[in-house]
Amino acid sequence: MTIRKPYLLYLGDAPDNLAIKMAQGVLDWRPDWCLAQWRRAGAGVALKLPEMTPEAAADQGAGTLVVGVVNAGGVLPEDWIDDLRRALEAGLDIAAGMHVRLRDVSDLGEVAARLGRTLTDLRVPDRSFSTGKGTRRPGKRVLTIGTDCSVGKKYAALALERGLRAAGADADFRATGQTGRLIAERGVAVDAVPADFIAGAAEWLCPAADPDHWDVVEGQGSLFHPSFAGVTLGLLHGAQPDRFVVCHEPTRTRMRGVDAALPTIAQVIETTLAMGRLTNADIAPAGICINTAALSEADARDTLRAAEDSHGLPATDPIRFGVESVVAELLR
């Protein structure tokens, strides 16, 4: 998948940092691809990028307006459509990770065709998939599993890929969401795959490989989230991981977007083992990645130490302290 670079990251009127996690993820992992941001009046958050209109960004060489916002249900707000039309008129392509297809929104498809612009739907599969078969295949796989959605599974997976490669291992990040797909320029957004084919999509994503090769599979949702557990389970069965890493945000008490209690790390480990053994009897945990951004360094280290003591696994914040301990456990 090739999208014209650099990007103008569109934030709309996003209210908080979690709402712009797609834009933030691209900026964090592919900063050279990001030229500027464009926000609507009333936006409650910003990136560390200059502010530009589509016309100014196009003059500076931007190729694509990336809609960098995620929201419940993946819908495109009505009052953003004029902004997207303006970007097309300014000379930019558009890439978005919503569930709705860009060409089906108002007249965007007609405008793009008339102007020769490209519309890229990051969330919409560009192929069909078979149902999962559960047949064991060579190669090693590690999957990031969350106590909740939006806890750092993608960041942990990208950090693990980088850490494995730094340790001399052959490793590839396997994107399973729209942001990961934009970062990797490949992959599949499994939450847009029909339920019967999620496991098959994961099998396609990380096929048979050299016995020493690691596929680092980006996790989605949570086995305990009432909205997204089905996606998580299908990915778990299809990825068929040999190891998994639990991802956690320690300041939450309720799951994001629903009235449900957050599970414990122990509950997630126990349930992942029970469910994962359907397609890999040897599945085992390899570590815990905790997002400590809301904690002081002292509190962060105390939290990680307590997690290690409680579960007998290496625990780290992959962005703050690196993933060397988890990589060592994987390679051990």
Side-chain angles (χ1 to χ4, degrees):
M1 182 179 66
T2 303
I3 300 175
R4 280 202 301 147
K5 305 173 185 67
Y7 301 150
L8 173 62
L9 299 178
Y10 179 71
L11 307 187
D13 46 11
D16 57 31
N17 286 319
L18 277 178
I20 62 165
K21 69 175 188 175
M22 180 172 171
Q24 188 67 64
V26 179
L27 179 60
D28 285 345
W29 294 95
R30 299 291 185 264
D32 293 346
W33 296 358
C34 302
L35 175 68
Q37 67 180 355
W38 183 32
R39 299 178 297 158
R40 292 177 62 85
V45 68
L47 299 167
K48 293 181 179 179
L49 282 172
E51 193 84 28
M52 287 189 190
T53 64
E55 295 79 11
D59 286 344
Q60 293 295 316
T64 302
L65 178 82
V66 172
V67 179
V69 184
V70 296
N71 53 26
V75 297
L76 190 65
E78 288 288 335
D79 54 0
W80 292 6
I81 296 173
D82 284 344
D83 289 347
L84 301 192
R85 192 181 293 112
R86 178 180 169 184
L88 291 172
E89 297 282 357
L92 302 179
D93 296 336
I94 299 177
M98 303 296 186
H99 280 295
V100 63
R101 294 174 186 265
L102 286 167
R103 65 174 180 266
D104 296 333
V105 175
S106 186
D107 62 345
L108 290 182
E110 297 172 9
V111 174
R114 172 170 57 83
L115 297 173
R117 311 284 185 252
T118 299
L119 301 178
T120 300
D121 295 301
L122 296 163
R123 211 169 198 155
V124 177
D126 56 4
R127 69 190 67 232
S128 58
F129 301 100
S130 301
T131 56
K133 302 300 185 289
T135 304
R136 290 301 303 275
R137 53 199 190 274
K140 296 184 176 70
R141 294 165 197 88
V142 55
L143 173 67
T144 52
I145 289 281
T147 55
D148 193 6
C149 56
S150 303
V151 291
K153 297 181 291 292
K154 174 175 64 268
Y155 277 55
L158 285 161
L160 286 170
E161 178 205 39
R162 182 179 291 174
L164 283 164
R165 288 183 174 182
D170 182 20
D172 284 309
F173 169 72
R174 300 300 185 185
T176 62
Q178 68 274 15
T179 310
R181 194 175 179 216
L182 185 61
I183 291 168
E185 296 192 296
R186 61 185 180 190
V188 58
V190 293
D191 65 353
V193 175
D196 281 0
F197 303 97
I198 293 174
E203 290 180 356
W204 167 85
L205 184 67
C206 44
D210 183 271
D212 291 327
H213 174 82
W214 280 96
D215 275 337
V216 186
V217 185
E218 175 193 8
Q220 293 295 326
S222 169
L223 290 171
F224 288 81
H225 199 292
S227 303
F228 311 121
V231 174
T232 311
L233 184 60
L235 180 58
L236 174 61
H237 287 160
Q240 207 176 82
D242 302 280
R243 298 290 181 265
F244 64 92
V245 174
V246 178
C247 299
H248 179 61
E249 206 289 339
T251 68
R252 294 188 199 177
T253 58
R254 313 296 291 180
M255 304 200 81
R256 183 166 168 81
V258 295
D259 185 20
L262 200 74
T264 66
I265 292 172
Q267 287 174 315
V268 170
I269 292 174
E270 179 183 11
T271 301
T272 302
L273 288 171
M275 299 297 183
R277 286 180 181 132
L278 177 68
T279 56
N280 189 341
D282 298 323
I283 185 173
I288 303 166
C289 286
I290 299 180
N291 180 352
T292 65
L295 304 179
S296 68
E297 181 161 339
D299 287 344
R301 292 189 182 279
D302 287 345
T303 298
L304 296 173
R305 191 176 303 111
E308 289 186 339
D309 292 343
S310 296
H311 305 289
L313 294 167
T316 187
D317 181 323
I319 304 304
R320 200 172 196 172
F321 301 122
V323 292
E324 288 80 4
S325 61
V326 179
V327 167
E329 178 65 20
L330 289 172
L331 297 179
R332 183 182 69 81

